[in-house]
Amino acid sequence: MSRRTGVFVTRRPCLVLLAALAFLVLSVVFGAEATGRLKSEGYDDPRSESSRAAVIAAGGPGSSPNLVIVAQARSGSVDDPAARSAGEALTGRLAAQPQVSSVTSYWTGGAAELRSRDGHAAMLVAHVDGEGEQLGARVKRLGRDLTASTGSDSSALTVHVGGRALVDAELQDISESDLMRAESVVLPGTLILLVFVFGSVVAASLPLLIGVLAVAGTMLVLSALGSVTDVSVFALNLTTALGLGLGIDYGLLIVSRFREELALGYRPRNAAIRTVRTAGHTIVFSAATVSAALATLLVFPPYFLRSFAYAGIAVVAIAAVSALTVLPALLTLLGKRVNAWAVPRRRGVHAGSRSRFWERLARVVVRRPLIAALPVIGLLLVLAAPFARAGFATPDDRALPVSASSRQTGDLVRGAFDMKGSSALTVVVTGTASPSAQEGYARRLSALRQVAQVAPVPGPVGDGPARISVVPLVDPQSHAAQQLVRDIRSVPAPAGTDALVGGPSAVLVDAKDTVEDRIPLALALITLTTFVLLLGFTRSLLLPVKAIALNALSLAAVLGAMVWIFQMGHLHDLLDFTPGPLSTTMPVLLFCIVFGLSVDYEVFVLARIKEAHDAGQDNTDSIVSGIACTGGIVTTAGALLAFTLLSFGTSQVSLLQFFGIGAGLGVLLDATLVRGVLVPALMRLAGGLNWWAPRWLRRKAPPPAPIPPPATARRCPPGRCPPNGSVVRTPVRPHASARR
């Protein structure tokens, strides 16, 4: 199939490029609508108890509050006449707003806990109807109106606005601005690095072109999906990082192999066909393994995780197809001009990708494999150790910078108030019960520890479920709040009714349960698909097992490092974030992405090692040859992808920092220590077992493609070996008929 693809795209290169241009224009025009269709929520399971409670309560007087207002007295107490009058007026303005319900205020009969401990501030909580971009626009407008109305010097109050709805809106705004800033740095920076790597401006621009096509095409896919289902806005960040990264990976592989074929004397079209036949085979398996790893995210119900599967699979597919069609067409037309606009003192890199440094390192490693491998394994285990103490939570305003309005309001609530009004739990009682039974149920709830207030709320006009607001005394992310949710759920509901518990703490409990329930299935799927794909690629039983084990070790190291950084807070001053438990969804996301990219690099390395082994080299020589041919490509691709990912470490949103730094660190570890040291060391120790497989599997293996290496190797006569080894390499040019 690879050969037929190469023949087709090189026969009509101009037609292929026109089709690619049309696709790019279509993607830019219609993909620009993606941002407005994506959402900033999606961390909970829509089938969980807390989600069902939210759906039933939505729009009714008992809906969970998503808007929090903290009013501070400019002087004196909030009970002073001027402050009380201003507070009552503020409450009236809020209650009069359309789409605002369930307004509770200290000045209009609210609980005493709505007053701060020092008496200088009071709280109002409310529910604003709507979702997504519509809800974000409403709460931002409300915030501006309310702060403007109390902003004059004559006002007795200073107003701060926050709450879940404003947190989501500000998360979306800041993540979009961070994405644009990252792109403005990443694109030119990547081009400069590629020019240095390739030694040619023309060659350097080709992988970047594949990345741009992948990003633009995925934006079109997300725009279409966003119109029919929920998609997280954070999928845009993965699109940019993975699109550029895989575009560069595949572009590096194609362009480097094409240069090798040109150096062997093949004409441009034949060189492009042979490149697709060899490197294209590797790209197909690489894309399949990365897509399989990302598809594992689809087993998790929260659409935050599913969105990354949508974006990841789309970007991988578009990058692979572009690399196998657009690049060969361009290379056919360019020919030797691929090395045009050469950079001074970098002309020596034009002939191919064989690296002397990686060849020397590989020889050292295979000579002393245990001595080389044990320190690296020890380092990865040390990095992994902190993950044993990992804690988990759902994202709240502390994921935002301290300059954000909702973050400032959240800090005020946590620091000055005993009652966490914005984190009230909503108990929805379905069915019919007598008033006395409902009152008894409310009394039993109020007797629980860590409960500040229990307020039965009348339902809507007519028949409908009863709603009870349970306001905790503790932080909604704390273990005490999670235990309170379990205690409420253990209280028997009135006879003939069912009780559903919702609210922030209930969402956290259900999110953790969902992830824990789905993790075994996800691990089984990602392990099975990776094993099957690598088994088909290598025709070996041991190599897939080795790849999965090394990926697990490097992933444990990355997750441990993330706990050390983001939960323990060792780099919080440098990165400017608030330490705290890890998001329930981010370790899962990081696992699937880093696992997929690790297998991607594994395929690159194994392809050249297998090619050398199939050509007749023994186990040790094939390892050295494969590492020498791919070490530079893998390291360069990893460094460029890490540069893209680590740029998100400058984000103001800690979720994006976690994703960028975690994925970037995983790529760097994998592209250097794992592929450069552990892979050759373990393959050297395994010896001939690397290539053992049952007879039925070997019998189905296709014959290796007849690819002449850049040089033939022959043993030198005794006493006449060169000083640097026992192998003499003689350049070989293909037969004249092959060059035509």
Side-chain angles (χ1 to χ4, degrees), residues 483-510:
Q483 185 58 48
L484 177 60
V485 172
R486 297 185 179 93
D487 292 342
I488 293 174
R489 288 175 173 172
S490 66
V491 174
T497 66
D498 291 318
L500 303 175
V501 182
S505 301
V507 169
L508 172 57
V509 170
D510 292 339

Side-chain angles (χ1 to χ4, degrees), residues 45-60:
D45 180 358
R47 292 170 293 185
S48 65
E49 180 177 326
S50 57
S51 295
R52 288 185 285 129
V55 169
I56 294 173

